[in-house]
Short mmCIF file of all heavy atoms in Angstrom, two decimals:
data_model
loop_
_atom_site.label_atom_id
_atom_site.label_comp_id
_atom_site.label_asym_id
_atom_site.label_seq_id
_atom_site.Cartn_x
_atom_site.Cartn_y
_atom_site.Cartn_z
N ASP A 1317 -12.72 5.14 9.00
CA ASP A 1317 -13.53 4.02 8.85
C ASP A 1317 -14.38 4.02 10.10
O ASP A 1317 -13.75 3.67 11.23
CB ASP A 1317 -12.70 2.80 8.64
CG ASP A 1317 -13.55 1.51 8.50
OD1 ASP A 1317 -14.72 1.59 8.99
OD2 ASP A 1317 -13.02 0.45 8.07
N GLN A 1319 -16.64 2.03 11.28
CA GLN A 1319 -16.71 0.78 11.88
C GLN A 1319 -15.42 0.42 12.58
O GLN A 1319 -15.44 -0.05 13.75
CB GLN A 1319 -16.97 -0.30 10.79
CG GLN A 1319 -18.39 -0.16 10.30
CD GLN A 1319 -18.57 -1.02 9.02
OE1 GLN A 1319 -17.75 -1.87 8.64
NE2 GLN A 1319 -19.63 -0.82 8.31
N ARG A 1322 -14.90 2.38 15.81
CA ARG A 1322 -15.77 1.99 16.86
C ARG A 1322 -15.24 0.74 17.69
O ARG A 1322 -15.57 0.54 18.87
CB ARG A 1322 -17.15 1.67 16.39
CG ARG A 1322 -17.98 2.90 16.02
CD ARG A 1322 -18.78 3.42 17.18
NE ARG A 1322 -19.76 2.52 17.78
CZ ARG A 1322 -20.10 2.42 19.00
NH1 ARG A 1322 -19.43 3.13 19.88
NH2 ARG A 1322 -21.01 1.51 19.45
N VAL A 1323 -14.39 -0.08 17.04
CA VAL A 1323 -14.03 -1.30 17.63
C VAL A 1323 -13.05 -1.08 18.82
O VAL A 1323 -12.98 -1.93 19.66
CB VAL A 1323 -13.46 -2.26 16.67
CG1 VAL A 1323 -14.46 -2.66 15.60
CG2 VAL A 1323 -12.12 -1.94 16.02
N VAL A 1324 -12.32 -0.01 18.78
CA VAL A 1324 -11.39 0.32 19.93
C VAL A 1324 -12.21 1.15 20.84
O VAL A 1324 -12.62 2.22 20.54
CB VAL A 1324 -10.20 0.91 19.39
CG1 VAL A 1324 -9.19 1.12 20.59
CG2 VAL A 1324 -9.51 -0.02 18.36
N PRO A 1325 -12.24 0.72 22.17
CA PRO A 1325 -12.95 1.54 23.18
C PRO A 1325 -12.11 2.83 23.44
O PRO A 1325 -10.90 2.87 23.20
CB PRO A 1325 -12.97 0.61 24.38
CG PRO A 1325 -12.01 -0.33 24.16
CD PRO A 1325 -11.76 -0.55 22.74
N PRO A 1326 -12.83 3.85 23.91
CA PRO A 1326 -12.15 5.08 24.33
C PRO A 1326 -11.06 4.81 25.34
O PRO A 1326 -11.17 3.95 26.20
CB PRO A 1326 -13.14 5.88 24.98
CG PRO A 1326 -14.47 5.33 24.55
CD PRO A 1326 -14.27 3.90 24.28
N THR A 1508 -7.29 -7.69 24.82
CA THR A 1508 -8.51 -8.45 24.65
C THR A 1508 -9.21 -8.14 23.33
O THR A 1508 -9.65 -9.07 22.44
CB THR A 1508 -9.41 -8.41 25.84
OG1 THR A 1508 -8.68 -8.54 26.97
CG2 THR A 1508 -10.49 -9.44 25.73
N VAL A 1509 -9.52 -6.86 23.14
CA VAL A 1509 -10.13 -6.36 21.88
C VAL A 1509 -9.37 -6.85 20.65
O VAL A 1509 -9.94 -7.34 19.74
CB VAL A 1509 -10.17 -4.81 21.85
CG1 VAL A 1509 -10.67 -4.29 20.58
CG2 VAL A 1509 -11.05 -4.39 23.02
N ILE A 1510 -8.02 -6.72 20.70
CA ILE A 1510 -7.23 -7.09 19.56
C ILE A 1510 -7.37 -8.66 19.33
O ILE A 1510 -7.44 -9.06 18.11
CB ILE A 1510 -5.77 -6.71 19.78
CG1 ILE A 1510 -5.60 -5.19 19.78
CG2 ILE A 1510 -4.86 -7.35 18.73
CD1 ILE A 1510 -4.31 -4.64 20.30
N SER A 1511 -7.35 -9.39 20.41
CA SER A 1511 -7.44 -10.86 20.19
C SER A 1511 -8.78 -11.21 19.60
O SER A 1511 -8.95 -12.18 18.66
CB SER A 1511 -7.13 -11.58 21.52
OG SER A 1511 -8.25 -12.28 21.92
N VAL A 1512 -9.88 -10.57 19.99
CA VAL A 1512 -11.16 -10.80 19.44
C VAL A 1512 -11.21 -10.42 17.92
O VAL A 1512 -11.79 -11.18 17.09
CB VAL A 1512 -12.27 -10.03 20.22
CG1 VAL A 1512 -13.64 -10.20 19.51
CG2 VAL A 1512 -12.46 -10.63 21.67
N LEU A 1513 -10.69 -9.26 17.65
CA LEU A 1513 -10.64 -8.89 16.18
C LEU A 1513 -9.81 -9.83 15.37
O LEU A 1513 -10.24 -10.15 14.27
CB LEU A 1513 -9.98 -7.45 16.12
CG LEU A 1513 -10.87 -6.33 16.69
CD1 LEU A 1513 -10.07 -5.01 16.71
CD2 LEU A 1513 -12.12 -6.22 15.94
N ARG A 1514 -8.70 -10.39 15.90
CA ARG A 1514 -7.92 -11.34 15.10
C ARG A 1514 -8.80 -12.63 14.90
O ARG A 1514 -8.74 -13.22 13.89
CB ARG A 1514 -6.56 -11.74 15.87
CG ARG A 1514 -5.51 -10.64 15.76
CD ARG A 1514 -4.86 -10.53 14.36
NE ARG A 1514 -4.32 -11.80 13.92
CZ ARG A 1514 -3.81 -11.90 12.67
NH1 ARG A 1514 -3.97 -10.96 11.76
NH2 ARG A 1514 -3.41 -13.02 12.30
N LEU A 1515 -9.49 -12.95 15.97
CA LEU A 1515 -10.25 -14.13 15.93
C LEU A 1515 -11.34 -14.06 14.86
O LEU A 1515 -11.67 -15.15 14.23
CB LEU A 1515 -11.00 -14.36 17.27
CG LEU A 1515 -11.61 -15.71 17.53
CD1 LEU A 1515 -10.54 -16.77 17.77
CD2 LEU A 1515 -12.53 -15.57 18.83
N VAL A 1516 -11.95 -12.95 14.70
CA VAL A 1516 -12.97 -12.83 13.67
C VAL A 1516 -12.39 -12.48 12.24
O VAL A 1516 -13.17 -12.23 11.31
CB VAL A 1516 -14.17 -11.92 14.04
CG1 VAL A 1516 -14.83 -12.27 15.33
CG2 VAL A 1516 -13.63 -10.36 14.17
N GLY A 1517 -11.16 -12.59 12.15
CA GLY A 1517 -10.49 -12.45 10.79
C GLY A 1517 -9.98 -11.03 10.44
O GLY A 1517 -9.83 -10.72 9.27
N ALA A 1518 -9.78 -10.27 11.43
CA ALA A 1518 -9.22 -8.88 11.15
C ALA A 1518 -7.77 -8.94 10.72
O ALA A 1518 -6.98 -9.60 11.46
CB ALA A 1518 -9.42 -7.95 12.31
N LYS A 1519 -7.40 -8.20 9.72
CA LYS A 1519 -5.99 -8.21 9.30
C LYS A 1519 -5.31 -7.17 10.29
O LYS A 1519 -6.01 -6.26 10.81
CB LYS A 1519 -5.81 -7.82 7.87
CG LYS A 1519 -6.21 -8.76 6.92
CD LYS A 1519 -5.89 -8.12 5.51
CE LYS A 1519 -6.26 -9.03 4.46
NZ LYS A 1519 -5.96 -8.45 3.06
N ASP A 1520 -4.04 -7.22 10.38
CA ASP A 1520 -3.23 -6.35 11.27
C ASP A 1520 -3.49 -4.88 10.88
O ASP A 1520 -3.66 -3.96 11.70
CB ASP A 1520 -1.70 -6.64 11.17
CG ASP A 1520 -1.42 -7.91 12.02
OD1 ASP A 1520 -2.24 -8.45 12.61
OD2 ASP A 1520 -0.24 -8.47 11.88
N THR A 1521 -3.50 -4.73 9.54
CA THR A 1521 -3.69 -3.28 9.10
C THR A 1521 -4.98 -2.67 9.51
O THR A 1521 -5.11 -1.52 9.74
CB THR A 1521 -3.47 -3.26 7.50
OG1 THR A 1521 -4.39 -4.20 6.93
CG2 THR A 1521 -2.08 -3.39 7.16
N TYR A 1522 -6.10 -3.56 9.52
CA TYR A 1522 -7.36 -3.04 9.95
C TYR A 1522 -7.33 -2.64 11.39
O TYR A 1522 -7.81 -1.54 11.81
CB TYR A 1522 -8.43 -4.15 9.73
CG TYR A 1522 -9.77 -3.79 10.28
CD1 TYR A 1522 -10.67 -3.20 9.54
CD2 TYR A 1522 -10.20 -4.05 11.57
CE1 TYR A 1522 -12.02 -2.89 9.91
CE2 TYR A 1522 -11.41 -3.69 12.03
CZ TYR A 1522 -12.40 -3.13 11.25
OH TYR A 1522 -13.58 -2.82 11.66
N LEU A 1599 1.15 -5.99 17.07
CA LEU A 1599 0.27 -7.01 16.63
C LEU A 1599 1.00 -8.34 16.13
O LEU A 1599 0.42 -9.36 16.22
CB LEU A 1599 -0.45 -6.47 15.42
CG LEU A 1599 -1.52 -5.38 15.87
CD1 LEU A 1599 -2.02 -4.63 14.68
CD2 LEU A 1599 -2.68 -5.99 16.60
N ARG A 1600 2.33 -8.08 15.73
CA ARG A 1600 3.08 -9.29 15.31
C ARG A 1600 3.30 -10.23 16.41
O ARG A 1600 3.55 -11.43 16.16
CB ARG A 1600 4.38 -8.86 14.74
CG ARG A 1600 4.27 -8.43 13.28
CD ARG A 1600 5.65 -8.42 12.61
NE ARG A 1600 6.46 -7.26 13.08
CZ ARG A 1600 6.41 -6.14 12.57
NH1 ARG A 1600 5.69 -5.93 11.55
NH2 ARG A 1600 7.19 -5.19 13.13
N GLY A 1601 3.16 -9.80 17.64
CA GLY A 1601 3.27 -10.67 18.82
C GLY A 1601 2.05 -11.35 19.34
O GLY A 1601 1.97 -12.14 20.29
N ILE A 1602 0.91 -11.07 18.58
CA ILE A 1602 -0.35 -11.70 18.93
C ILE A 1602 -0.80 -12.59 17.81
O ILE A 1602 -0.86 -12.21 16.66
CB ILE A 1602 -1.48 -10.58 19.13
CG1 ILE A 1602 -1.09 -9.69 20.31
CG2 ILE A 1602 -2.83 -11.14 19.37
CD1 ILE A 1602 -1.91 -8.41 20.43
N SER A 1603 -1.20 -13.82 18.19
CA SER A 1603 -1.44 -14.89 17.18
C SER A 1603 -2.90 -14.64 16.52
O SER A 1603 -3.64 -13.96 17.16
CB SER A 1603 -1.40 -16.30 17.73
OG SER A 1603 -2.31 -16.40 18.84
N TYR B 1077 -8.30 -23.52 14.47
CA TYR B 1077 -8.58 -22.22 13.98
C TYR B 1077 -7.32 -21.32 13.99
O TYR B 1077 -7.39 -20.17 13.91
CB TYR B 1077 -9.82 -21.50 14.61
CG TYR B 1077 -9.75 -21.26 16.09
CD1 TYR B 1077 -9.07 -20.18 16.68
CD2 TYR B 1077 -10.47 -22.09 17.05
CE1 TYR B 1077 -9.03 -19.93 18.04
CE2 TYR B 1077 -10.46 -21.75 18.30
CZ TYR B 1077 -9.76 -20.79 18.87
OH TYR B 1077 -9.81 -20.50 20.23
N GLU B 1079 -4.93 -20.44 16.06
CA GLU B 1079 -4.44 -19.54 17.06
C GLU B 1079 -3.12 -20.12 17.61
O GLU B 1079 -2.36 -19.37 18.14
CB GLU B 1079 -5.44 -19.37 18.13
CG GLU B 1079 -5.18 -18.20 19.02
CD GLU B 1079 -6.26 -17.81 20.03
OE1 GLU B 1079 -6.79 -18.71 20.67
OE2 GLU B 1079 -6.69 -16.69 20.10
N ARG B 1099 0.44 -13.70 8.05
CA ARG B 1099 -0.60 -13.29 9.00
C ARG B 1099 -1.82 -12.88 8.25
O ARG B 1099 -2.93 -13.16 8.79
CB ARG B 1099 -0.06 -12.08 9.86
CG ARG B 1099 1.00 -12.53 10.87
CD ARG B 1099 1.55 -11.47 11.71
NE ARG B 1099 0.51 -10.79 12.58
CZ ARG B 1099 -0.01 -11.18 13.70
NH1 ARG B 1099 0.58 -12.32 14.19
NH2 ARG B 1099 -0.84 -10.57 14.36
N ASP B 1100 -1.82 -12.35 7.15
CA ASP B 1100 -2.91 -11.93 6.40
C ASP B 1100 -3.67 -13.11 5.88
O ASP B 1100 -4.86 -13.11 5.88
CB ASP B 1100 -2.51 -11.02 5.16
CG ASP B 1100 -2.21 -9.58 5.51
OD1 ASP B 1100 -2.44 -9.29 6.86
OD2 ASP B 1100 -1.80 -8.76 4.78
N VAL B 1102 -3.82 -16.05 7.41
CA VAL B 1102 -4.46 -16.55 8.53
C VAL B 1102 -5.80 -15.81 8.75
O VAL B 1102 -6.81 -16.38 8.97
CB VAL B 1102 -3.61 -16.49 9.83
CG1 VAL B 1102 -4.36 -16.78 11.15
CG2 VAL B 1102 -2.40 -17.47 9.71
N ALA B 1103 -5.70 -14.46 8.70
CA ALA B 1103 -6.84 -13.58 8.89
C ALA B 1103 -7.91 -13.94 7.87
O ALA B 1103 -9.12 -14.09 8.21
CB ALA B 1103 -6.50 -12.14 8.88
N LEU B 1104 -7.57 -14.07 6.62
CA LEU B 1104 -8.57 -14.31 5.60
C LEU B 1104 -9.18 -15.69 5.77
O LEU B 1104 -10.35 -15.84 5.55
CB LEU B 1104 -7.87 -14.18 4.21
CG LEU B 1104 -7.40 -12.76 3.75
CD1 LEU B 1104 -6.60 -12.82 2.50
CD2 LEU B 1104 -8.66 -11.90 3.61
N ARG B 1106 -9.45 -17.30 8.60
CA ARG B 1106 -10.36 -17.28 9.79
C ARG B 1106 -11.81 -16.77 9.47
O ARG B 1106 -12.77 -17.10 10.16
CB ARG B 1106 -9.78 -16.39 10.91
CG ARG B 1106 -8.72 -17.20 11.70
CD ARG B 1106 -8.27 -16.39 12.82
NE ARG B 1106 -7.24 -17.06 13.49
CZ ARG B 1106 -6.33 -16.48 14.35
NH1 ARG B 1106 -6.33 -15.13 14.42
NH2 ARG B 1106 -5.35 -17.17 14.87
N ARG B 1107 -11.92 -16.06 8.43
CA ARG B 1107 -13.22 -15.49 7.96
C ARG B 1107 -14.08 -16.58 7.49
O ARG B 1107 -15.31 -16.53 7.37
CB ARG B 1107 -13.11 -14.39 6.89
CG ARG B 1107 -12.45 -13.14 7.45
CD ARG B 1107 -12.21 -12.15 6.38
NE ARG B 1107 -11.35 -11.02 6.82
CZ ARG B 1107 -10.89 -10.09 6.14
NH1 ARG B 1107 -11.25 -9.96 4.75
NH2 ARG B 1107 -10.03 -9.22 6.58
N VAL B 1111 -16.09 -19.18 15.12
CA VAL B 1111 -15.71 -19.72 16.48
C VAL B 1111 -16.58 -19.20 17.56
O VAL B 1111 -16.89 -18.01 17.65
CB VAL B 1111 -14.20 -19.26 16.72
CG1 VAL B 1111 -13.73 -20.03 18.06
CG2 VAL B 1111 -13.33 -19.75 15.60
N HIS B 1113 -16.82 -19.32 21.68
CA HIS B 1113 -16.09 -19.63 22.94
C HIS B 1113 -17.07 -19.76 24.16
O HIS B 1113 -18.20 -19.18 24.09
CB HIS B 1113 -15.13 -18.54 23.22
CG HIS B 1113 -14.00 -18.54 22.36
ND1 HIS B 1113 -13.84 -17.86 21.20
CD2 HIS B 1113 -12.69 -19.22 22.49
CE1 HIS B 1113 -12.71 -18.00 20.64
NE2 HIS B 1113 -11.92 -18.88 21.37
N LYS B 1117 -16.32 -13.96 24.40
CA LYS B 1117 -15.31 -12.95 23.96
C LYS B 1117 -16.08 -11.88 23.04
O LYS B 1117 -15.85 -11.67 21.86
CB LYS B 1117 -14.31 -13.60 23.04
CG LYS B 1117 -13.36 -14.59 23.79
CD LYS B 1117 -12.25 -15.01 22.89
CE LYS B 1117 -11.41 -16.09 23.62
NZ LYS B 1117 -10.54 -15.56 24.72
N PHE B 1118 -16.88 -11.13 23.75
CA PHE B 1118 -17.47 -9.89 23.17
C PHE B 1118 -16.65 -8.58 23.39
O PHE B 1118 -15.95 -8.65 24.34
CB PHE B 1118 -18.88 -9.71 23.66
CG PHE B 1118 -19.92 -10.73 23.12
CD1 PHE B 1118 -20.66 -11.50 24.08
CD2 PHE B 1118 -20.09 -10.93 21.84
CE1 PHE B 1118 -21.56 -12.42 23.62
CE2 PHE B 1118 -21.01 -11.85 21.45
CZ PHE B 1118 -21.72 -12.65 22.33
N LEU B 1119 -16.86 -7.62 22.57
CA LEU B 1119 -16.32 -6.32 22.81
C LEU B 1119 -17.45 -5.60 23.72
O LEU B 1119 -18.51 -5.30 23.19
CB LEU B 1119 -15.97 -5.57 21.63
CG LEU B 1119 -15.02 -6.21 20.67
CD1 LEU B 1119 -14.67 -5.32 19.51
CD2 LEU B 1119 -13.79 -6.67 21.42
N HIS B 1121 -18.01 -2.82 24.92
CA HIS B 1121 -18.46 -1.34 24.58
C HIS B 1121 -19.39 -1.30 23.39
O HIS B 1121 -19.88 -0.22 23.05
CB HIS B 1121 -17.29 -0.40 24.47
CG HIS B 1121 -16.36 -0.68 23.32
ND1 HIS B 1121 -15.56 -1.85 23.24
CD2 HIS B 1121 -16.23 -0.09 22.09
CE1 HIS B 1121 -14.95 -1.90 22.07
NE2 HIS B 1121 -15.29 -0.80 21.37
N LEU B 1122 -19.50 -2.38 22.63
CA LEU B 1122 -20.33 -2.43 21.51
C LEU B 1122 -21.62 -3.11 21.78
O LEU B 1122 -21.65 -4.04 22.68
CB LEU B 1122 -19.59 -3.11 20.33
CG LEU B 1122 -18.32 -2.60 19.80
CD1 LEU B 1122 -17.80 -3.36 18.61
CD2 LEU B 1122 -18.49 -1.15 19.37
N SER B 1123 -22.66 -2.73 21.12
CA SER B 1123 -23.99 -3.41 21.30
C SER B 1123 -24.02 -4.88 20.71
O SER B 1123 -22.97 -5.21 20.03
CB SER B 1123 -25.03 -2.60 20.57
OG SER B 1123 -24.93 -2.81 19.23
N GLU B 1126 -23.79 -4.78 17.00
CA GLU B 1126 -22.44 -4.40 16.53
C GLU B 1126 -21.43 -5.56 16.79
O GLU B 1126 -20.58 -5.79 15.88
CB GLU B 1126 -21.99 -3.17 17.25
CG GLU B 1126 -22.64 -1.93 16.85
CD GLU B 1126 -22.20 -0.70 17.74
OE1 GLU B 1126 -22.24 -0.86 18.93
OE2 GLU B 1126 -21.99 0.33 17.08
N LEU B 1130 -19.47 -7.59 13.73
CA LEU B 1130 -17.99 -7.38 13.73
C LEU B 1130 -17.17 -8.06 12.56
O LEU B 1130 -16.48 -7.39 11.90
CB LEU B 1130 -17.46 -7.76 15.06
CG LEU B 1130 -16.16 -7.19 15.51
CD1 LEU B 1130 -16.12 -5.70 15.54
CD2 LEU B 1130 -15.73 -7.75 16.93
N PRO B 1131 -17.49 -9.36 12.26
CA PRO B 1131 -16.80 -9.97 11.21
C PRO B 1131 -17.04 -9.33 9.85
O PRO B 1131 -16.18 -9.21 8.97
CB PRO B 1131 -17.33 -11.49 11.16
CG PRO B 1131 -17.88 -11.64 12.56
CD PRO B 1131 -18.36 -10.30 13.00
N GLY B 1133 -17.57 -6.00 9.43
CA GLY B 1133 -16.78 -4.85 9.34
C GLY B 1133 -15.28 -5.13 9.10
O GLY B 1133 -14.69 -4.46 8.24
N VAL B 1134 -14.77 -6.12 9.77
CA VAL B 1134 -13.25 -6.38 9.58
C VAL B 1134 -12.98 -6.90 8.20
O VAL B 1134 -11.94 -6.72 7.77
CB VAL B 1134 -12.70 -7.37 10.71
CG1 VAL B 1134 -13.00 -6.87 12.04
CG2 VAL B 1134 -13.26 -8.71 10.57
N GLN B 1137 -16.79 -5.32 4.66
CA GLN B 1137 -18.32 -5.17 4.11
C GLN B 1137 -19.02 -4.14 4.74
O GLN B 1137 -18.71 -3.81 6.00
CB GLN B 1137 -18.99 -6.56 4.29
CG GLN B 1137 -18.38 -7.67 3.50
CD GLN B 1137 -19.13 -8.98 3.67
OE1 GLN B 1137 -20.33 -8.91 3.71
NE2 GLN B 1137 -18.46 -10.10 3.86
N ASN B 1138 -19.95 -3.43 4.01
CA ASN B 1138 -20.70 -2.34 4.60
C ASN B 1138 -21.77 -3.01 5.46
O ASN B 1138 -22.72 -3.69 4.97
CB ASN B 1138 -21.30 -1.61 3.40
CG ASN B 1138 -22.03 -0.38 3.99
OD1 ASN B 1138 -22.53 -0.26 5.13
ND2 ASN B 1138 -21.94 0.73 3.23
N VAL B 1139 -21.70 -2.71 6.78
CA VAL B 1139 -22.64 -3.36 7.74
C VAL B 1139 -24.10 -2.89 7.49
O VAL B 1139 -25.09 -3.58 7.60
CB VAL B 1139 -22.20 -2.95 9.19
CG1 VAL B 1139 -23.16 -3.55 10.24
CG2 VAL B 1139 -20.76 -3.64 9.46
N THR B 1140 -24.19 -1.52 7.17
CA THR B 1140 -25.52 -0.93 6.92
C THR B 1140 -26.19 -1.72 5.70
O THR B 1140 -27.43 -2.03 5.83
CB THR B 1140 -25.38 0.51 6.55
OG1 THR B 1140 -24.51 1.06 7.45
CG2 THR B 1140 -26.72 1.28 6.71
N ARG B 1178 -22.65 -14.32 15.67
CA ARG B 1178 -21.37 -13.72 15.20
C ARG B 1178 -20.60 -14.78 14.41
O ARG B 1178 -19.89 -14.40 13.39
CB ARG B 1178 -20.53 -13.14 16.35
CG ARG B 1178 -19.39 -12.37 15.89
CD ARG B 1178 -18.52 -11.84 17.11
NE ARG B 1178 -17.96 -12.93 17.83
CZ ARG B 1178 -17.28 -12.74 18.98
NH1 ARG B 1178 -17.14 -11.54 19.51
NH2 ARG B 1178 -16.76 -13.79 19.55
#
Side-chain angles (χ1 to χ4, degrees):
Chain A
D1317 175 347
Q1319 288 169 13
R1322 286 272 297 142
V1323 299
V1324 181
T1508 310
V1509 172
I1510 292 168
S1511 122
V1512 171
L1513 290 172
R1514 283 289 303 169
L1515 191 72
V1516 298
K1519 289 186 183 177
D1520 287 350
T1521 45
Y1522 176 90
L1599 289 168
R1600 276 195 290 273
I1602 297 170
S1603 57
Chain B
Y1077 60 79
E1079 198 171 47
R1099 291 180 61 80
D1100 279 356
V1102 168
L1104 291 173
R1106 278 187 185 153
R1107 293 176 192 175
V1111 183
H1113 287 88
K1117 293 189 186 290
F1118 288 124
L1119 301 186
H1121 64 289
L1122 298 184
S1123 69
E1126 285 173 315
L1130 203 55
V1134 304
Q1137 295 185 40
N1138 189 328
V1139 176
T1140 316
R1178 185 181 66 186

